[in-house]
């Protein structure tokens, strides 16, 4: 008997809920099957070591650490910068404080304070005004986290000059700057900024292989050799030490070689969907990457009703709030499926 899960996995359904739903391609599976492996907790997996070196070099840093998830990579990085009780600043929609189920507080004892989120916008001067120095009765700010691209910010891209200003602010106040770069690859493709130019602006980055890049598992923390040595310790403490994990690192290496440039296709597909829904007045912001954010505040359908209507026609979308929904393009969605999705959305939104 088919359960709900196997029904969702049905190939007839067009799944635009997120870009984590992709399955490894045949080429990726071959690379995984052929991977040389060893015990990575002993530092003996050559494929993991190669992936870590490759990703560190891409971002112009000394070292990187393979982690089982983007959430763990982020939380390891935050613990590197913020001692228990001290403070992290980020925007109110940041993944680190929205979707990581309180990990900063639960595992790191970290206090988080947020600035109001407006899409992917970032105003370094607003952030500068929030930084609290060491002092009696105050919680000292130790780190700032930004998200590139911004998930709840509709896949928006923070411009390079803004990030450079953010770096200056961090330096002026002696606080660390972390980038949740789960989809930094998309920013690189959308704005043509070399990954290393982003990399040098941050003390640490977390970058994800299992979103747009299509690997089944894996993220990396990127930073200095000293920070990554400590990160290795924190990963083990959090239960993230894995053994013959070269099988997964091989998928990541394959993704880096084959799936970065093709992200441009996902961006074109997202733009086509945006064009289809825009006349209905529900596009929340300009679409720059692979996320199409929908704002249904002025539409008769709420997010749940739209998702239900789309589901009835074989299209899955994400409901993010009562009047907010999201479509995400990815490796496993074809041009024909985008056409079909556009028709389904047009019909539902017209009703
Ligand atoms: C911006 C961002 N950061 C981090 C993560 C966490 O990744 P994971 O699901 O691998 O924990 C996600 C997941 O969607 C994300 O969108």
């Amino acid at each position: 008997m088919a359960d709900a899960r196997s029904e969702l996995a049905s190939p007839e359904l067009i799944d635009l809920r997120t870009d984590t739903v992709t399955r490894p391609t045949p080429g990726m599976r071959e690379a995984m099957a052929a991977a040389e492996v060893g015990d990575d907790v002993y530092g003996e997996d050559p494929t993991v070591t190669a992936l870590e070196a490759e990703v560190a070099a891409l971002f112009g840093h000394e070292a990187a650490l393979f982690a089982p998830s983007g959430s763990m990579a982020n939380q390891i990085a935050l613990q590197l910068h913020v001692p228990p009780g001290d403070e992290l600043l980020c925007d109110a929609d940041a993944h680190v404080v929205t979707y990581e189920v309180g990990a900063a507080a639960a595992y790191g004892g970290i206090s988080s304070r947020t600035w109001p989120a407006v899409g992917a916008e970032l105003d370094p001067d607003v952030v500068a005004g929030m930084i609290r120095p060491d002092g009696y009765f105050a919680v000292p700010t130790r780190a700032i986290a930004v998200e590139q691209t911004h998930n709840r910010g509709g896949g928006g891209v923070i411009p390079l000059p803004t990030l450079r200003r953010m770096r200056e602010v961090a330096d002026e106040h002696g606080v660390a700057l972390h980038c949740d770069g789960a989809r930094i690859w998309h920013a690189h493709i959308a704005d043509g900024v070399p990954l290393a130019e982003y990399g040098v602006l941050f003390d640490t980055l977390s970058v994800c292989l299992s979103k747009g890049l299509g690997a089944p598992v894996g993220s990396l923390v990127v930073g200095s050799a000293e920070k990554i040595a400590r990160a290795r310790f924190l990963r083990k403490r959090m239960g993230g030490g894995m053994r013959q994990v070269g099988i997964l690192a091989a998928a990541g290496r394959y993704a880096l070689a084959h799936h970065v440039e093709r992200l441009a296709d996902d961006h074109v597909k997202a733009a086509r969907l945006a064009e289809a829904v825009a006349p209905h007045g529900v596009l929340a912001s300009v679409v720059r990457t692979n996320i199409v954010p929908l704002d249904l505040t002025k539409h008769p359908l709420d997010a749940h009703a739209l998702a239900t209507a789309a589901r009835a026609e074989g299209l899955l979308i994400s409901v993010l709030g009562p009047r907010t929904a999201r479509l995400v393009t990815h490796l496993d969605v074809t041009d024909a499926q985008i056409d079909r999705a556009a028709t389904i959305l047009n019909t539902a939104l017209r009703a």
Side-chain angles (χ1 to χ4, degrees):
M1 196 181 83
D3 63 11
R5 230 174 140 255
S6 58
E7 190 193 17
L8 287 182
S10 155
E12 291 90 59
L13 288 172
I14 305 167
D15 195 346
L16 299 182
R17 288 171 301 164
T18 178
D19 49 11
T20 59
V21 295
T22 57
R23 283 134 176 113
T25 62
M28 184 178 278
R29 285 175 187 271
E30 264 174 46
M32 294 170 78
E36 246 190 277
V37 297
D39 188 329
D40 185 52
V41 172
Y42 284 81
E44 290 172 4
D45 190 304
T47 312
V48 174
T49 305
L51 173 70
E52 290 174 341
E54 201 173 316
V55 172
L58 276 178
F59 288 92
H61 273 275
E62 287 174 341
L65 177 77
F66 191 52
S69 70
S71 301
M72 191 186 284
N74 273 332
Q75 295 302 326
I76 288 171
L78 298 183
Q79 287 178 47
L80 287 174
H81 303 305
V82 189
D86 290 2
E87 180 180 83
L88 165 76
L89 297 180
C90 61
D91 78 81
D93 270 348
H95 196 280
V96 291
V97 291
T98 308
Y99 294 126
E100 297 181 15
V101 290
Y107 297 131
I110 294 171
S111 292
S112 301
R113 198 152 50 94
T114 57
W115 64 84
V118 187
E121 282 175 29
L122 173 67
D123 184 340
D125 294 324
V126 167
V127 182
M130 292 177 67
I131 296 172
R132 288 181 177 146
D134 267 323
Y136 201 41
F137 288 150
V139 181
T141 308
R142 301 293 182 201
I144 298 162
V146 300
E147 196 169 307
Q148 180 79 311
T149 64
H150 202 295
N151 180 345
R152 284 183 65 90
V157 183
I158 306 168
L160 188 61
T162 308
L163 292 174
R164 288 198 172 124
R165 176 66 197 131
M166 198 66 255
R167 176 73 260 172
E168 283 169 9
V169 167
D171 287 343
E172 284 158 16
H173 293 83
V175 302
L177 189 58
H178 171 69
C179 178
D180 176 350
R183 296 186 183 79
I184 200 163
W185 326 100
H186 296 267
H188 159 64
I189 293 298
D191 275 6
V193 174
L195 293 168
E197 280 199 42
Y198 285 136
V200 296
L201 296 176
F202 300 102
D203 298 282
T204 50
L205 303 97
S206 65
V207 300
C208 198
L209 304 166
S210 65
K211 314 247 160 5
L213 297 195
V217 173
S219 281
L220 292 102
V221 189
V222 184
S224 67
E226 189 190 346
K227 286 271 182 265
I228 296 306
R230 173 75 185 157
R232 205 168 288 281
F233 171 82
L234 292 173
R235 182 186 67 179
K236 186 71 174 75
R237 177 184 276 171
M238 292 176 81
M242 300 179 286
R243 303 294 176 172
Q244 284 70 23
V245 73
I247 288 174
L248 297 177
R253 294 191 76 197
Y254 182 92
L256 287 173
H258 297 93
H259 294 168
V260 177
E261 296 306 319
R262 66 150 305 283
L263 292 174
D265 297 347
D266 296 345
H267 297 181
V268 169
K269 289 187 172 98
R272 281 174 50 206
L273 289 171
E275 220 173 280
V277 300
H280 302 283
V282 296
L283 196 57
S285 62
V286 174
V287 168
R288 294 288 327 280
T289 59
N290 68 328
I291 299 179
V292 183
L294 303 183
D295 174 358
L296 296 150
T297 13
K298 297 200 181 108
H299 197 275
L301 288 184
D302 65 14
H304 181 70
L306 178 62
T308 305
R311 173 69 189 78
E313 297 300 319
L315 169 65
L316 303 178
I317 70 173
S318 267
V319 173
L320 300 187
R323 296 240 155 222
T324 351
R326 183 186 73 174
L327 319 165
V328 187
T329 58
H330 52 75
L331 188 60
D332 282 6
V333 49
T334 63
D335 282 318
Q337 287 179 317
I338 293 294
D339 288 342
R340 174 85 189 120
T343 305
I344 292 169
L345 289 165
N346 252 324
T347 310
L349 289 166
R350 238 193 334 256

